Amino acid sequence: MIPPFPLERIALPTGVELDVAIAGNPANPAIILLHGFPESHRTWRHQIPELAKTHFVIAPDQRGFARSSKPELVSDYTPAKLLGDVLALADHFGKDRFTLIGHDWGGAVAWMGALNRPDRVERLIIINAPHPLIFQRTMFDDPDQRAASQYIRAFRNPSLEAHIATIGVEAYFAKTFVGHADQTKLAEERPYYLDQWRQTGALTAMYNWYRASPIIVPAMDEEPPRPAFLDKPFPLLAMPALVIWGMADTALKPSQLVGLDALVPEMTLVTIDAGHFVPWEAPDAVNAAMSAWL
C-alpha cells in the first residue's frame, strides 16, 4: 500500500482551504493534478512520484472532498468557482503557466480551464473525462450514454444523503464501486475512502458538484428542448492535449471519443484496457503514456 502523502493546508483567496500534496522541485515546470468523484489527491498516488522526477507537482483535494473546505451552498460548486480554485492555487505557487491533468470531474474542470484560460494552461492531459460539447450532445443523441448517465439524476436527488445515512457509508461504498473498479486494488484504499467520506458534510459537498453543474441529463423517456450550442461551431482547444481513455469504462461510453479529434487539433489519444479509474487500475500504462508525451 502506498502511504499517505504529506499535505500542505493552503488558504486561497477564493474563500476555501485546500489540502494539497506537493512533490518535486519548485523550480521545475508545474503540473496540477485534479481528481474526480468520489476521490482525493490519492487518485494520483502512482503518478505523483513519477511526475515529480521532472516537474513540480501540485495535487489538491478539491473543494468539498476529503478534509478540504466544504462550503454549504450548491452554488459554491459551480464550474467557475472550481476553476477559480485551480488558478488561485497556481498563483499561490507563482506559476503563470502549467500543465493541467484531470480525471473524471477533475477532467471536467481541466477541459474548462484549457478552453477558457489558454493563457494559463500550457498543456492538457485528460483521463476518462468527457469533452463538454460531446458529453452534452450524447445526452441527446446517444441512448446508451444517456442510460449510463442516469446516476447523475440520482446524485442530484436531495434525499440521497438520507438514504446513505440509512444504509451506512460502508454499504454505500460497496454499492458505489461495484462494476466500476478493480475490486482488489480498491480494497487497499477502502480505509482512505471511508475516512474521507465520513468527514462532516463530505457526501453533500461531493454531490453538490453534480447539483451545480449546468449539464442536462434527461430521463430516458424525456424529450427536453435541445440546447442551441450543440449544433453550432464550438471553440477549438488551443494547446496540445493527451487523452488517455480506459475503454472498459461503464459510465462513459466510446461515443465520448467520436469527433474529439476535430475539437482538439493537437490531440494524442492513448486507449488502455481498463475501467473508469484507470490512473490506479492501470498505473504503469498511464505513467508510460504521460512520460512519452511530456
Side-chain angles (χ1 to χ4, degrees):
M1 180 183 289
I2 293 177
F5 294 92
L7 299 176
E8 182 176 330
R9 187 78 170 182
I10 297 176
L12 298 177
T14 53
V16 295
E17 294 183 2
L18 304 184
D19 284 340
V20 185
I22 301 158
N25 186 341
N28 284 339
I31 279 185
I32 299 179
L33 298 164
L34 302 178
H35 67 83
F37 174 93
E39 302 201 279
S40 69
H41 70 279
R42 287 187 62 81
T43 296
W44 310 108
R45 56 193 176 275
H46 301 285
Q47 285 74 47
I48 291 172
E50 284 300 307
L51 293 170
K53 294 176 181 176
T54 53
H55 290 76
F56 179 54
V57 178
I58 305 164
D61 290 338
Q62 298 197 78
R63 70 163 66 192
F65 290 91
R67 285 172 170 77
S68 289
S69 293
K70 299 169 184 63
E72 292 184 7
L73 302 177
V74 170
S75 59
D76 290 319
Y77 298 87
T78 55
K81 291 182 178 176
L82 306 175
L83 177 57
D85 291 343
V86 177
L87 299 176
L89 196 56
D91 292 343
H92 174 83
F93 289 103
K95 300 295 185 179
D96 290 333
R97 303 271 286 163
F98 50 88
T99 296
L100 193 53
I101 304 181
H103 171 253
D104 186 81
W105 261 117
V109 177
W111 276 120
M112 188 173 62
L115 286 164
N116 287 286
R117 295 302 303 268
D119 58 316
R120 304 296 303 272
V121 180
E122 190 169 11
R123 291 176 297 185
L124 179 68
I125 299 180
I126 291 291
I127 307 179
N128 284 68
H131 185 283
L133 174 66
I134 294 176
F135 192 51
Q136 184 64 90
R137 188 181 282 163
T138 55
M139 288 297 137
F140 286 82
D141 298 344
D142 178 10
D144 286 346
Q145 184 59 66
R146 186 191 289 201
S149 298
Q150 290 301 299
Y151 72 91
I152 295 176
R153 294 176 62 84
F155 286 174
R156 288 172 169 172
N157 187 329
S159 64
L160 178 59
E161 289 90 330
H163 167 68
I164 297 171
T166 301
I167 65 172
V169 175
E170 292 91 343
Y172 187 68
F173 174 86
K175 184 179 178 182
T176 301
F177 285 107
V178 165
H180 292 288
D182 183 315
Q183 299 299 306
T184 303
K185 293 178 178 177
L186 185 64
E188 294 183 355
E189 287 291 299
R190 184 175 181 272
Y192 295 109
Y193 284 107
L194 293 179
D195 170 67
Q196 291 165 2
W197 294 5
R198 286 184 173 123
Q199 299 306 307
T200 302
L203 289 173
T204 294
M206 291 194 293
Y207 293 123
N208 280 346
W209 281 59
Y210 291 91
R211 293 162 180 161
S213 169
I215 196 83
I216 299 167
V217 184
M220 294 308 294
D221 58 354
E222 187 182 358
E223 292 187 23
R226 183 181 181 87
F229 81 91
L230 294 185
D231 303 301
K232 293 181 178 179
F234 197 87
L236 303 183
L237 200 74
M239 70 287 297
L242 169 65
V243 176
I244 300 173
W245 207 268
M247 295 301 288
D249 194 329
T250 53
L252 296 170
K253 299 300 181 180
S255 59
Q256 298 311 313
L257 299 177
V258 177
L260 187 57
D261 55 341
L263 294 164
V264 185
E266 293 182 75
M267 181 178 80
T268 301
L269 175 64
V270 176
T271 59
I272 295 174
D273 183 18
H276 180 71
F277 297 95
V278 63
W280 49 263
E281 289 192 86
D284 292 345
V286 170
N287 289 353
M290 286 186 182
S291 296
W293 188 77
L294 287 169

